[in-house]
């Protein structure tokens, strides 16, 4: 809901992630916002948009002023027919991931997540990640190309997250569809018919996960869902079924939607800069640096907060209760933090760590898995497809979404290295 009156607008600046050409090529607007209006009101997303690195760091660190609670609700109030469908699902106030929580409740859920998603459990997926990457890439090489997003970038993280959670492999496609619909419902722009359909898909998603949780309570296995149902923490009440479903939805979205976008966007940038791609192929030890630089240059998602009190940034007062979007892709291109910030530099040092995973108590719990998947993907690519290139005439287009950068497709050809 709008809780404030925006300041006098900067006449030539209008942040609108839904409209062309800004949707496909937002970089000039991001740059102008950083320079001229680092705190900008946007009617389109009904939020104050922040674009500078230093401000992003401040907001992420100040968890008392900039809160999670209520920040991830849909951009606009859904029409009645959509609300009626959503009302048939789980209670919204109980179906919350860590992105929706603050204070003691956030700390409680993070304890469970940290106890289950240990570095050992996540690290143990590395060999499997490489196997999946190789298996996905082989038919693309045989065909001489394909859609890198549809054929590779979403299938790799989806296969890993379903294995981690204990979801049957054959249900992966449905899971991907439901997760995408949830993101569209939350951050997209839908016509009435698609809006109702997305709401029903979201409820179906909930019902599927509730059934899975209940089955794991009755017959636990060695997967993460079973661990959620069985784990007991000292002085903490166990997780309810609805709480587990909320965490699973968060893990599924963070575990494959954002990683899909990171892989696709990084590959796109590499193939636009053949010199960097050739250097990585010649020296695969650069891959960890490539992963970090890809996360920085094309951070797949922003973060959202809601203010608990009025706060002033750059002379602009943001009132209590206002929604704030920290535009991490723009902050990670701030030249005050990253020299030659628009350049893909796999040798870039760690002087200012990127913010793709956030920072502090809300640091992304899936960061380790995303890095494993990125490393596996690019190791497989430099080995099996050094001759990959953009298809002739390819032009990047993005789906309308206010929170993530969804590359619609990435058409590639795979031939002999050049």
């Amino acid at each position: 809901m709008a809780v404030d009156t925006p300041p006098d607008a900067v006449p030539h600046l209008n942040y609108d992630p839904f409209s062309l050409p800004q949707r496909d090529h937002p970089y000039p607007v991001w740059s102008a916002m950083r320079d001229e209006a680092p705190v900008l009101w946007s009617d389109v997303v009904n939020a104050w948009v922040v674009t500078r690195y230093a401000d992003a760091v401040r907001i992420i660190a100040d968890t008392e002023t900039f809160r999670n609670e209520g920040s991830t609700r849909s951009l606009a109030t859904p029409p009645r027919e959509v609300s009626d469908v959503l009302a048939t699902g789980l209670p919204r106030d109980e179906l919350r991931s860590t992105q929706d929580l603050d204070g003691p409740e956030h700390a409680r859920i993070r304890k469970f997540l940290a106890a289950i998603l240990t570095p050992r459990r996540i690290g143990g997926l590395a060999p499997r990640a490489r196997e999946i990457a190789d298996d996905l890439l082989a038919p693309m090489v045989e065909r001489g190309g394909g859609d890198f997003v549809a054929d590779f970038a979403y299938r790799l993280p989806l296969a890993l997250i379903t294995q981690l959670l204990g979801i049957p492999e054959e249900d992966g496609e449905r899971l991907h569809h439901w997760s995408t619909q949830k993101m569209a419902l939350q951050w997209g722009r839908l016509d009435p018919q698609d809006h109702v359909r997305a709401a029903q898909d979201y409820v179906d998603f909930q019902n599927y996960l509730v059934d899975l949780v209940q089955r794991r309570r009755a017959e636990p296995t060695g997967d993460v869902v079973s661990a959620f149902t069985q784990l007991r923490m000292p002085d903490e009440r166990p997780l309810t079924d609805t709480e587990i479903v909320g965490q699973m939805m968060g893990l599924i979205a963070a575990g494959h939607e954002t990683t899909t976008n990171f892989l696709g966007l990084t590959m796109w940038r590499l193939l636009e800069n053949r010199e960097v791609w050739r250097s990585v192929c010649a020296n695969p030890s650069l891959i960890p640096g490539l992963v970090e630089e890809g996360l920085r240059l094309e951070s797949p998602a922003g973060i959202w907060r809601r203010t608990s009190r009025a706060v002033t940034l750059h002379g602009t007062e943001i009132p209590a209760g206002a929604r704030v979007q920290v535009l991490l892709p723009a902050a990670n291109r701030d030249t005050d933090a990253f020299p030659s910030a628009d350049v893909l530099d796999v040798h870039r040092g760690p002087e200012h760590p990127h913010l793709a995973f956030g920072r502090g108590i809300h640091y992304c719990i899936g960061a380790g898995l995303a890095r494993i998947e990125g490393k596996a993907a690019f190791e497989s690519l430099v080995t099996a497809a050094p001759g990959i290139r953009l298809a002739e005439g390819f032009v990047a287009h993005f789906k309308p979404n206010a929170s993530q950068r969804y590359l619609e497709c990435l058409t590639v050809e795979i031939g002999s290295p050049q």
Side-chain angles (χ1 to χ4, degrees):
M1 60 179 178
V3 296
D4 54 336
T5 301
D8 293 338
V10 179
H12 63 288
L13 286 181
N14 177 29
Y15 176 64
D16 183 356
F18 295 110
S19 297
L20 297 172
Q22 192 176 142
R23 188 174 75 206
D24 287 348
H25 192 64
Y27 315 107
V29 171
W30 292 351
S31 179
M33 289 166 67
R34 283 193 306 266
D35 291 344
E36 303 174 48
V39 182
L40 178 72
W41 173 261
S42 171
D43 286 325
V44 175
V45 298
N46 194 29
W48 299 82
V49 185
V50 176
T51 47
R52 288 185 183 171
Y53 181 91
D55 295 328
V57 171
R58 172 186 171 181
I59 289 170
I60 292 170
D62 186 357
T63 57
E64 291 301 315
T65 302
F66 299 95
R67 310 279 285 173
N68 275 352
E69 180 68 35
S71 65
T72 61
R73 292 185 183 274
S74 299
L75 291 179
T77 302
R80 180 175 178 178
E81 55 270 29
V82 172
S83 295
D84 288 346
V85 173
L86 295 175
T88 66
L90 297 172
R92 174 66 177 83
D93 290 340
E94 298 176 27
L95 187 66
R96 299 186 295 174
S97 70
T98 53
Q99 289 179 302
D100 303 298
L101 298 172
D102 298 294
E105 274 304 288
H106 175 266
R108 168 177 168 260
I109 298 296
R110 288 286 293 211
K111 286 182 184 178
F112 284 89
L113 288 169
I116 294 170
L117 300 175
T118 62
R120 181 177 180 180
R121 185 191 289 266
I122 299 301
L125 292 170
R128 181 59 182 146
R130 179 59 191 273
E131 289 176 2
I132 295 170
D134 289 345
D135 289 345
L136 291 172
L137 192 55
M140 292 183 66
V141 172
E142 185 175 349
R143 293 194 307 269
D147 178 354
F148 183 81
V149 173
D151 297 335
F152 186 92
Y154 99 76
R155 295 182 182 276
L156 170 59
L158 180 63
L160 262 293
I161 197 65
T162 53
Q163 179 174 324
L164 178 66
L165 294 177
I167 293 172
E169 182 179 355
E170 60 270 20
D171 290 341
E173 293 294 332
R174 283 197 295 168
L175 198 76
H176 172 69
H177 172 73
W178 287 331
S179 181
T180 300
Q181 290 285 72
K182 175 183 179 294
M183 295 298 291
L185 191 68
Q186 188 173 9
W187 303 116
R189 179 172 285 179
L190 301 167
D191 64 34
Q193 185 176 3
D194 289 340
H195 207 162
V196 172
R197 186 178 297 113
Q200 186 58 61
D201 285 336
Y202 180 41
V203 173
D204 290 345
F205 192 13
Q206 297 172 32
N207 291 337
Y208 174 91
L209 293 176
V210 167
D211 179 69
L212 179 64
V213 169
Q214 291 175 347
R215 284 189 283 117
R216 290 295 186 270
R217 280 199 189 278
E219 298 182 17
T221 62
D223 57 42
V224 164
V225 180
S226 299
F228 274 132
T229 67
Q230 302 300 307
L231 182 62
R232 300 294 180 266
M233 301 287 287
D235 303 319
E236 297 288 2
R237 68 183 186 278
L239 297 179
T240 67
D241 286 0
T242 302
E243 287 176 327
I244 294 172
V245 169
Q247 303 325 302
M248 290 175 66
M249 284 187 164
L251 290 171
I252 290 165
H256 97 280
E257 296 278 357
T258 53
T259 307
T260 295
N261 297 334
F262 150 61
L263 292 174
L265 291 167
T266 302
M267 196 70 226
W268 171 47
R269 287 304 180 197
L270 274 174
L271 298 184
E272 284 197 322
N273 192 330
R274 298 289 299 169
E275 182 178 346
V276 177
W277 175 240
R278 283 190 288 267
S279 69
V280 173
C281 290
N283 184 5
S285 68
L286 296 174
I287 288 174
L290 167 63
V291 169
E292 298 306 314
E293 185 68 345
L295 287 164
R296 181 198 68 81
L297 187 66
E298 290 290 351
S299 307
I303 61 172
W304 298 75
R305 296 286 188 267
R306 194 174 286 277
T307 53
S308 63
R309 60 179 178 83
V311 61
T312 300
L313 282 177
H314 300 287
T316 298
E317 182 173 309
I318 303 175
R323 180 181 269 173
V324 177
Q325 182 182 19
V326 184
L327 200 58
L328 294 182
N332 279 330
R333 285 172 174 254
D334 189 337
T335 54
D336 286 343
F338 304 99
S340 303
D342 291 328
V343 175
L344 179 68
D345 180 2
V346 296
H347 301 282
R348 193 180 296 276
E351 290 81 6
H352 291 88
H354 67 72
L355 301 174
F357 297 122
R359 189 174 290 183
I361 64 172
H362 293 299
Y363 187 76
C364 177
I365 198 78
L369 181 58
R371 288 186 167 108
I372 284 171
E373 290 165 337
K375 185 172 182 290
F378 291 111
E379 286 179 345
S380 182
L381 284 157
V382 301
T383 300
I388 191 171
R389 58 186 177 272
L390 291 176
E392 185 175 353
F394 173 79
V395 177
H397 295 293
F398 289 79
K399 297 179 182 179
N401 192 279
S403 191
Q404 292 212 33
R405 295 270 287 156
Y406 280 91
L407 191 61
E408 287 188 346
C409 68
L410 181 62
T411 312
V412 298
E413 298 171 353
I414 301 176
S416 301
Q418 296 179 356

